[in-house]
Protein backbone atom coordinates (compact mmCIF):
# COMPACT_ATOMS: atom_id res chain seq x y z
CA UNK A 1 0.00 0.00 0.00
CA UNK A 2 2.86 2.37 0.83
CA UNK A 3 4.40 1.82 -2.59
CA UNK A 4 1.14 2.74 -4.35
CA UNK A 5 0.78 5.97 -2.37
CA UNK A 6 4.41 6.86 -3.09
CA UNK A 7 3.99 6.12 -6.82
CA UNK A 8 0.86 8.27 -7.00
CA UNK A 9 2.64 11.09 -5.18
CA UNK A 10 5.62 10.92 -7.55
CA UNK A 11 3.28 10.91 -10.54
CA UNK A 12 1.31 13.88 -9.21
CA UNK A 13 4.47 15.91 -8.57
CA UNK A 14 5.87 15.06 -12.01
CA UNK A 15 2.62 15.82 -13.84
CA UNK A 16 2.09 19.10 -11.98
CA UNK A 17 5.69 20.12 -12.60
CA UNK A 18 5.48 19.40 -16.33
CA UNK A 19 2.21 21.30 -16.61
CA UNK A 20 3.68 24.31 -14.84
CA UNK A 21 6.81 24.20 -17.01
CA UNK A 22 4.62 24.82 -20.06
CA UNK A 23 2.98 27.95 -18.60
CA UNK A 24 3.87 31.40 -19.99
CA UNK A 25 4.84 33.09 -16.72
CA UNK A 26 8.31 32.81 -15.24
CA UNK A 27 7.19 32.19 -11.65
CA UNK A 28 5.08 29.22 -12.76
CA UNK A 29 8.08 27.79 -14.61
CA UNK A 30 10.23 28.08 -11.46
CA UNK A 31 7.59 26.32 -9.34
CA UNK A 32 7.28 23.63 -12.03
CA UNK A 33 11.04 23.00 -11.91
CA UNK A 34 10.84 22.70 -8.13
CA UNK A 35 7.97 20.19 -8.29
CA UNK A 36 9.80 18.16 -10.92
CA UNK A 37 12.93 18.04 -8.75
CA UNK A 38 10.81 16.89 -5.78
CA UNK A 39 9.41 14.08 -7.93
CA UNK A 40 12.90 12.98 -8.96
CA UNK A 41 14.09 13.10 -5.34
CA UNK A 42 11.19 10.93 -4.18
CA UNK A 43 11.89 8.49 -7.00
CA UNK A 44 15.56 8.20 -6.00
CA UNK A 45 14.62 7.60 -2.35
CA UNK A 46 12.12 4.95 -3.42
CA UNK A 47 14.86 3.15 -5.35
CA UNK A 48 16.79 2.77 -2.07
CA UNK A 49 14.24 0.24 -0.78
CA UNK A 50 11.39 1.69 1.21
CA UNK A 51 11.10 -0.01 4.62
CA UNK A 52 9.01 1.01 7.61
CA UNK A 53 9.54 0.06 11.26
CA UNK A 54 13.02 -1.30 10.58
CA UNK A 55 16.22 -0.46 12.48
CA UNK A 56 18.52 1.97 10.66
CA UNK A 57 21.76 0.20 11.67
CA UNK A 58 22.91 -3.33 12.45
CA UNK A 59 21.99 -4.37 15.98
CA UNK A 60 24.66 -7.04 16.60
CA UNK A 61 28.25 -7.42 15.54
CA UNK A 62 28.71 -9.77 12.64
CA UNK A 63 27.25 -10.19 9.20
CA UNK A 64 23.77 -8.84 8.63
CA UNK A 65 21.22 -9.25 5.90
CA UNK A 66 21.41 -6.12 3.69
CA UNK A 67 17.92 -6.80 2.33
CA UNK A 68 16.48 -5.74 5.70
CA UNK A 69 18.00 -2.26 5.66
CA UNK A 70 17.55 0.83 3.54
CA UNK A 71 20.39 1.85 1.24
CA UNK A 72 21.99 5.06 2.60
CA UNK A 73 23.53 6.18 -0.71
CA UNK A 74 20.25 7.37 -2.35
CA UNK A 75 19.39 9.22 0.84
CA UNK A 76 22.72 11.05 0.76
CA UNK A 77 22.30 11.88 -2.93
CA UNK A 78 18.80 13.25 -2.34
CA UNK A 79 19.97 15.35 0.60
CA UNK A 80 22.62 16.92 -1.64
CA UNK A 81 20.06 17.45 -4.42
CA UNK A 82 17.67 19.19 -2.01
CA UNK A 83 20.34 21.69 -0.98
CA UNK A 84 21.35 22.37 -4.58
CA UNK A 85 17.75 22.76 -5.78
CA UNK A 86 17.00 25.17 -2.92
CA UNK A 87 19.97 27.35 -3.88
CA UNK A 88 19.02 27.21 -7.55
CA UNK A 89 15.42 28.17 -6.80
CA UNK A 90 16.59 31.13 -4.70
CA UNK A 91 18.86 32.27 -7.54
CA UNK A 92 16.08 31.92 -10.12
CA UNK A 93 13.71 33.97 -7.95
CA UNK A 94 16.27 36.78 -7.66
CA UNK A 95 16.77 36.73 -11.44
CA UNK A 96 12.98 36.75 -11.88
CA UNK A 97 12.62 39.84 -9.70
CA UNK A 98 15.43 41.62 -11.54
CA UNK A 99 13.98 40.76 -14.95
CA UNK A 100 10.52 41.89 -13.90
CA UNK A 101 11.95 45.17 -12.67
CA UNK A 102 13.73 45.75 -15.98
CA UNK A 103 11.00 44.63 -18.38
CA UNK A 104 7.85 45.21 -16.35
CA UNK A 105 6.46 41.75 -17.11
CA UNK A 106 7.07 38.21 -15.92
CA UNK A 107 6.26 36.38 -19.14
CA UNK A 108 8.84 33.92 -20.42
CA UNK A 109 9.17 35.60 -23.82
CA UNK A 110 8.99 39.14 -22.39
CA UNK A 111 5.66 39.99 -24.05
CA UNK A 112 2.18 39.85 -22.68
CA UNK A 113 -0.25 37.98 -24.88
CA UNK A 114 -3.60 39.64 -25.31
CA UNK A 115 -6.56 37.95 -26.94
Amino acid sequence: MTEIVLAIGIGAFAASGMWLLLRPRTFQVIIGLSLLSYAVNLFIVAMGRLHTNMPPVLEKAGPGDPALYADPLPQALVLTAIVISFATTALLLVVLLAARGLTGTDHVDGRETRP
Side-chain angles (χ1 to χ4, degrees), residues 26-78:
T26 311
F27 184 72
Q28 292 171 343
V29 171
I30 292 171
I31 298 300
L33 282 172
S34 296
L35 286 177
L36 203 57
S37 72
Y38 296 153
V40 171
N41 289 341
L42 283 174
F43 180 73
I44 292 172
V45 167
M47 292 299 102
R49 286 177 291 200
L50 183 64
H51 291 294
T52 56
N53 298 326
M54 299 299 279
V57 294
L58 295 173
E59 294 177 351
K60 297 181 247 175
D65 186 12
L68 299 176
Y69 301 97
D71 188 9
L73 184 62
Q75 296 173 14
L77 290 173
V78 166

